[in-house]
Amino acid sequence: MASIKDVAAEAGVSVATVSRVLNEHPSVSADARARVLAAVEVLGYRPNAVARSLRTDQTHTLGLVISDVMNPYFTELARSVEEEARALGYSVIIGNADERPDLQDHHVRNLLDRRIDGLLVSPTDGGSPLMLDAARAGTPMVFVDRWIPGVDVPVVRADGQSAIRDLVAHLHALGHRRLAIIAGPAATTTGRERVEVFRTALAAHGLELPDAYTGQGDFQAESGRRVTEGFLDLAEPPEVVFAADNLMALGALDAIRARGLRVPCDIALAAFDDIRWFVHTDPPITAIAQPTGELGRAAVRALIDRIEGRTPRSVTLPARLVVRRSCGEDPAENPVTNRSTS
Amino acid sequence: MASIKDVAAEAGVSVATVSRVLNEHPSVSADARARVLAAVEVLGYRPNAVARSLRTDQTHTLGLVISDVMNPYFTELARSVEEEARALGYSVIIGNADERPDLQDHHVRNLLDRRIDGLLVSPTDGGSPLMLDAARAGTPMVFVDRWIPGVDVPVVRADGQSAIRDLVAHLHALGHRRLAIIAGPAATTTGRERVEVFRTALAAHGLELPDAYTGQGDFQAESGRRVTEGFLDLAEPPEVVFAADNLMALGALDAIRARGLRVPCDIALAAFDDIRWFVHTDPPITAIAQPTGELGRAAVRALIDRIEGRTPRSVTLPARLVVRRSCGEDPAENPVTNRSTS
DNA sequence: GCAGTCGATGTAATCGATTCCACGAGGAGG
DNA sequence: CCTCCTCGTGGAATCGATTACATCGACTGC
């Protein structure tokens, strides 16, 4: 593969001049520029990004370490992150942590070794020393969706508080009183927070959230299935199961179906995270939709602000309730009803 | 960030010795090795992968250019590719082409500039000159899922022929005679091939595939919706719609639902690509399942064989029919029935 | 007409690693 | 006791770019 030296030789100039042409440095004669450009064309020359990065100490690359790519929510997040980054002249390397702290560390280390310009993380656990060190050492970093408390890193996330309150009001209006939740891992902020907000919202209606109605999941489908089976085995099973993410809702659906029960007559179901398929499940699933694309874009902008020396801000965007039929038959009574497709 | 020089100074040896220790070169004294390791520990030194790549001309990185990350099939493919690559000591950079040739070229160029060791591509179109040049120039390359005919690059893909024949037999046995297909882009091998195999399978039952029953889609949900609307507007609409991928099936479902029609009573639906949600749609959707994970792993192995000087082989794995309820009510009659969840 | 400025260009240092080559010490063999 | 290897080590070249500095010619202004 042709190097800058070959181009210089072909054009009959020095490598410095070639570099100047390539970097649009002003003081290059029209003649030299033309000869260099012609040589570049002839040789099919492309600058070696590795060499360039070594010299300039910038890779124009962002790292994105995501909890689980197979989760449609994170897939969409990754997509919007890549789009915005590309628009701003950066590439993205995605690392899939699969909800495993060791894998998360593997990817963080790998990305750091590659000298990425900045790191976007949705942490799997409460505080890997590696990540904390990186943050302290000054690696530009932004948390997205989830975060680690007590670290001075901007956070871009959705606020589900009012949407969860709307959901509980909706469920209460439909006559449900025994509400259960499949929680995410306690090590994650979203795992903890959604339970707490749910509990508080229940309290506002005079309802409790007994321990038996709080199942511990891990944001994966299998845990949703397991927890739901536990709920169904109770002497007094809940009337509603609220899954803290879409994959656990899928698992819950599996478990309910395996028992031959029907949603919502036998048991109601709602989920955090809205995805396209929820419109077509049997029945369509009531869910809390996050502004996923906007979160991804905001996170990238914050990170690049930080990289380029501006001061990044944390961003919190509201999630909203999308009522469908999985919690009861007459959503029309509810003012926040939204049965649209997308 | 500490460099190899700092480590050398701290350990009281030369950079050559540090490098030897790091690369497990045999001729280093136990004493020197211990001092270097201690210095590495003290300084928290990590080798700069950029510098290393420049010198060794290897990045231990594979590029994966995928047609559409939001498509669950490709998400799963990407995941298995990353897993296998990681197991073999490589990282993966994913580029999402979004079914757009210009974006595909952008990513290929970007990956080539970064001097990735090899490229895995599921081409969006029939032959970007950039990619053909790269292949000719000797860039290790493997096609996965889709390929470009006439290029000397190994292909790893699923063969849907027998599964599509099984599907047509299933549909025929259920009494369906007017079968339509939502095709993928003619520029892709999978787009063309699935239609041809479908047509041939119909012929074996004495059925034709009229032009009116061949809709042109682009593997995205919206096109599935549009084509299906066209089918439903026909004086004699088809009895079955077969979508050539899962997203177009989703669009078809949207269109059918918008008309207030029911599957399978009013119209039957089947899809190429099986995904978890198909179990829970209303009704569960009959689909052709590809061995996605195995494809991803085989593709990585072929590519790394090529990179490391061995001779890679093309791989074709069979897809299989998974019968559910979207084509008619009594799948039990069919020997290939499979109603399992996963 | 000469000093000073500016524009175009080249030379060489540099980034952080790997690796070839040279060198000295020490042991084996004659 | 001398020669020849082997082993451990360091010096320095190298990968392909960027960029500070030096140089040189031409032009400007006094």
Side-chain angles (χ1 to χ4, degrees), chain B residues 36-293:
Chain B
V36 168
L37 260 19
V40 164
E41 191 64 31
V42 165
L43 298 172
Y45 169 75
R46 297 245 79 212
N48 183 326
V50 174
R52 192 195 291 245
S53 293
L54 176 61
R55 183 59 234 251
T56 60
D57 203 30
Q58 315 181 25
T59 49
H60 272 272
T61 303
L62 309 180
L64 170 63
V65 179
I66 231 172
S67 329
D68 178 13
V69 248
M70 295 294 286
N71 184 324
Y73 166 71
F74 284 113
T75 312
E76 192 177 340
L77 190 68
R79 178 209 161 101
S80 65
V81 162
E82 194 275 335
E83 277 182 2
E84 184 74 4
R86 177 155 36 80
L88 296 172
Y90 285 76
S91 306
V92 177
I93 304 184
I94 302 172
N96 176 27
D98 230 343
E99 304 288 2
R100 284 168 43 191
D102 61 321
L103 252 189
Q104 169 179 278
D105 273 8
H106 164 89
H107 285 119
V108 170
R109 196 168 353 247
N110 183 10
L111 292 166
L112 256 23
D113 285 355
R114 285 166 188 277
R115 301 303 192 266
I116 45 136
D117 292 342
L119 196 55
L120 239 34
V121 191
S122 167
T124 286
D125 64 351
S128 122
L130 180 60
M131 231 156 54
L132 301 184
D133 284 354
R136 261 193 295 273
T139 309
M141 205 153 132
V142 166
F143 290 135
V144 56
D145 185 58
R146 310 176 183 175
W147 76 98
I148 298 179
V151 187
D152 183 26
V153 164
V155 180
V156 174
R157 66 187 190 100
D159 177 13
Q161 205 157 336
S162 80
I164 290 180
R165 273 202 299 266
D166 288 348
L167 171 66
V168 170
H170 167 65
L171 295 170
H172 190 267
L174 288 170
H176 299 304
R177 293 299 177 268
R178 299 198 307 278
L179 316 189
I181 185 168
I182 310 176
T188 62
T189 46
T190 49
R192 287 194 301 276
E193 197 183 53
R194 289 173 194 172
V195 180
E196 282 321 306
V197 172
F198 189 62
R199 188 192 308 279
T200 308
L202 287 185
H205 290 266
L207 301 177
E208 289 205 341
L209 182 62
D211 283 351
Y213 284 1
T214 316
Q216 189 55 55
D218 60 6
F219 284 142
Q220 304 282 336
E222 183 47 39
S223 72
R225 181 200 315 257
R226 182 173 35 71
V227 169
T228 305
E229 276 166 2
F231 287 156
L232 297 175
D233 284 338
L234 291 174
E236 193 170 54
E239 294 159 331
V240 184
V241 172
F242 173 44
D245 89 336
N246 69 81
L247 291 180
M248 297 194 298
L250 173 63
L253 217 45
D254 282 346
I256 293 167
R257 181 167 174 275
R259 297 272 173 123
L261 299 176
R262 311 225 7 149
V263 176
C265 352
D266 300 315
I267 188 161
L269 181 66
F272 207 101
D273 291 343
D274 191 21
I275 64 170
R276 300 198 64 178
W277 296 100
F278 279 174
V279 176
H280 292 295
T281 49
D282 178 25
I285 295 178
T286 292
I288 291 174
Q290 300 194 49
T292 319

